[in-house]
Amino acid sequence: MRFGIVGAGKMGSEIEAVARDRGHDVVWRLSSRENPEGRGITVERAGSADVIFEFTGPASVTPNLLALAARGATVVCGTTGWAQDLPRVAEAFDAGGGALVHAANFSVGVRHFFDLVTRAARLYPPAGYATYLVEEHHAEKRDAPSGTARTIAAIFEMETGSSLPVTSVRAGAIPGTHRLVFDSPEDDVEIVHRAHGRRGFARGAVWAAERIAGRKGVMEFGQLLEEVQRRP
Ligand SMILES: NC(=O)c1ccc[n+]([C@@H]2O[C@H](COP(=O)([O-])OP(=O)(O)OC[C@H]3O[C@@H](n4cnc5c(N)ncnc54)[C@H](OP(=O)(O)O)[C@@H]3O)[C@@H](O)[C@H]2O)c1
């Protein structure tokens, strides 16, 4: 497949490496300098790629997605910190006839972690355990709490009706750690997901690109995974 990448940063580089390993062509990459307010997303660029990855930052993601939607593009977006804009982005993709798969976390290990959170939230709080989440990321990560932490908190709230205290640490080069703790006077239990690098996120994003090509509309990564798990 032919891929375009908006965002020439750490994830953009990792996606390019995984894409090439899997036999895809990266036909262009756009940096922030070439793309103020999404203006680098031209008809020519959008038309030359089967799938376009958007991994930039919270300040640029919405103009980029609206520009991609207007071009009818097929997009995999992993940028975090734009959940409030999802309704108008989804409307734009529906109007433009393209497709978008988005996720705050494209790691399959984190997807299974979400299932563990659901199960644990049903067991420990009713047994008297106090619960909190600590998420740790590298010093350059701009949004806090992380999109993954927000998802974990939402799952916890849905299961228990209580909000989840979240602490964010931004330091060093940590690729991403989420530690959910259930604490009681007698003991404590932790469920930890620790990314060893960015490869797992990039592999999930490329996997999503391989499956979204040719589709229309907006979906979350979990929906794509569920479809595959349901297949006979
Ligand atoms: N979903 C997942 O699985 C997952 C995993 C890891 C990270 N993320 C998220 O993905 C995003 C990128 O992460 P990262 O680690 O790659 O960050 P990064 O290394 O800072 O890279 C972001 C890149 O986007 C560029 N950029 C900013 N505005 C742009 C624009 N309008 N057009 C084109 N490029 C633009 C930045 O350029 P400048 O430096 O010149 O501004 C930078 O090179 C973040 O939101 C992060 O939270 C998601």
Side-chain angles (χ1 to χ4, degrees), residues 6-12 30-38 54-58 60 64 77-81 103-107 138 140-143 175 198 201-202:
V6 184
K10 293 181 281 295
M11 279 303 298
L30 262 184
S31 69
S32 60
R33 213 170 7 89
E34 300 159 298
N35 187 39
E37 288 296 307
E54 207 288 349
F55 279 75
T56 62
S60 45
N64 284 340
C77 176
T79 302
T80 53
N105 199 309
F106 275 104
S107 148
H138 55 89
E140 287 166 21
K141 184 169 172 65
R142 287 172 196 145
D143 54 321
R198 293 183 177 80
F201 306 126

